[in-house]
Amino acid sequence: GENVEQHPSTLSVQEGDSAVIKCTYSDSASNYFPWYKQELGKGPQLIIDIRSNVGEKKDQRIAVTLNKTAKHFSLHITETQPEDSAVYFCAASSGPVPGRRALTFGSGTRLQVQP
Amino acid sequence: NAGVTQTPKFRVLKTGQSMTLLCAQDMNHEYMYWYRQDPGMGLRLIHYSVGEGTTAKGEVPDGYNVSRLKKQNFLLGLESAAPSQTSVYFCASRPGTNEQFFGPGTRLTVL
């Protein structure tokens, strides 16, 4: 099955700096790569996703890049703000069974933005 | 729309007790999922459903059962709780597209 590794496990940056979180996946058939933000006591919330036919996607201060050859993808947050502090999860879709589309998650990155 | 809701929010069980976690969604989504979240391990898929009346095993199904009698509800059952099932449980649903919508979670402690 799919295996997703995520680094770093914790990341501390100063407000206004950029933050980068990296993930690698094992299944070359995976074709959907979402990033989720989880605030304390809440469920994960999708912040951006990318499909395997796209190399980069941006949404305001966040961007995701995908390298299919190397099987890795990254989340970039620019101009970080204290409200960006949360746990971020990458994931890859693994679903040889039609309709399953379950997600395999990375272990998470705790991002702390220091004011 | 309430989105995805989970009941209860917290629960403490003794080893061997049983309980059912309820997930409800009002978005008319076909697909529903149960995950567990443990420290340092991300979320792992327990069971999933591709439609009313259907269920299937995920990555870590042992010790759990599920039912999807109504399209909007997905129940997760623990017949005989064990301390290893102490975790935070998340339900998710999705329409025909890829995005999954998560509930707020249920924190379960088994003593």
Side-chain angles (χ1 to χ4, degrees), chain A residues 23 25 30-36 46-58 63-68 72-76 90-93 103, chain B residues 98-99:
Chain A
C23 290
Y25 62 98
S30 289
N31 57 9
Y32 174 66
F33 307 92
W35 285 89
Y36 284 83
L46 181 72
I47 56 172
I48 195 168
D49 57 13
I50 192 167
R51 288 167 173 74
S52 59
N53 59 347
V54 175
E56 183 176 2
K57 183 177 179 180
K58 290 183 179 180
V64 58
T65 59
L66 172 65
N67 183 325
K68 286 171 51 181
H72 66 70
F73 55 113
S74 301
L75 176 71
H76 304 252
C90 63
S93 77
L103 296 171
Chain B
N98 282 319
E99 181 179 356

Side-chain angles (χ1 to χ4, degrees), chain B residues 48-90:
Chain B
Y48 65 99
S49 169
V50 301
E52 181 179 317
T54 72
T55 63
K57 294 180 180 180
E59 180 185 354
V60 288
D62 293 344
Y64 305 95
N65 57 75
V66 289
S67 65
R68 183 106 181 263
L69 299 180
K70 294 183 179 181
K71 185 177 184 178
Q72 63 268 33
N73 295 338
F74 195 27
L75 279 64
L76 178 71
L78 286 73
E79 291 186 349
S80 180
S84 60
Q85 294 178 303
T86 293
S87 188
V88 181
Y89 292 86
F90 288 99

Side-chain angles (χ1 to χ4, degrees), chain A residues 4-112:
Chain A
V4 177
E5 294 191 358
Q6 182 172 347
H7 300 279
S9 57
T10 60
L11 180 60
S12 182
V13 299
Q14 292 293 318
E15 183 176 358
D17 288 350
S18 295
V20 181
I21 303 171
K22 299 181 179 182
C23 290
T24 60
Y25 62 98
S26 61
D27 188 353
S28 57
S30 289
N31 57 9
Y32 174 66
F33 307 92
W35 285 89
Y36 284 83
K37 177 182 181 182
Q38 186 177 26
E39 296 177 335
L40 192 63
K42 297 184 179 180
Q45 185 172 18
L46 181 72
I47 56 172
I48 195 168
D49 57 13
I50 192 167
R51 288 167 173 74
S52 59
N53 59 347
V54 175
E56 183 176 2
K57 183 177 179 180
K58 290 183 179 180
D59 183 2
Q60 299 183 339
R61 295 187 298 108
I62 60 174
V64 58
T65 59
L66 172 65
N67 183 325
K68 286 171 51 181
T69 302
K71 290 191 281 188
H72 66 70
F73 55 113
S74 301
L75 176 71
H76 304 252
I77 306 175
T78 59
E79 300 174 16
T80 54
Q81 302 168 3
E83 52 265 36
D84 293 329
S85 296
V87 179
Y88 292 81
F89 290 97
C90 63
S93 77
S94 59
V97 177
R100 180 186 172 191
R101 299 283 178 90
L103 296 171
T104 299
F105 285 83
S107 54
T109 296
R110 183 175 299 278
L111 173 65
Q112 189 159 10

Side-chain angles (χ1 to χ4, degrees), chain B:
Chain B
N1 288 350
V4 180
T5 58
Q6 293 184 232
T7 308
K9 289 184 170 50
F10 303 94
R11 185 73 186 268
V12 178
L13 290 179
K14 294 181 179 179
T15 297
Q17 288 185 319
S18 63
M19 77 163 296
T20 301
L21 283 67
L22 170 64
C23 175
Q25 52 97 3
D26 60 1
M27 299 175 283
N28 202 35
H29 289 172
E30 287 294 333
Y31 308 101
M32 297 188 74
Y33 306 84
W34 275 107
Y35 294 89
R36 61 177 288 173
Q37 183 177 35
D38 301 297
M41 297 188 71
L43 285 80
R44 292 181 293 168
L45 182 67
I46 305 171
H47 285 281
Y48 65 99
S49 169
V50 301
E52 181 179 317
T54 72
T55 63
K57 294 180 180 180
E59 180 185 354
V60 288
D62 293 344
Y64 305 95
N65 57 75
V66 289
S67 65
R68 183 106 181 263
L69 299 180
K70 294 183 179 181
K71 185 177 184 178
Q72 63 268 33
N73 295 338
F74 195 27
L75 279 64
L76 178 71
L78 286 73
E79 291 186 349
S80 180
S84 60
Q85 294 178 303
T86 293
S87 188
V88 181
Y89 292 86
F90 288 99
C91 175
S93 70
R94 73 171 177 92
T97 58
N98 282 319
E99 181 179 356
Q100 292 191 19
F101 296 82
F102 284 82
T106 294
R107 184 174 295 275
L108 175 66
T109 300
V110 182
L111 302 176

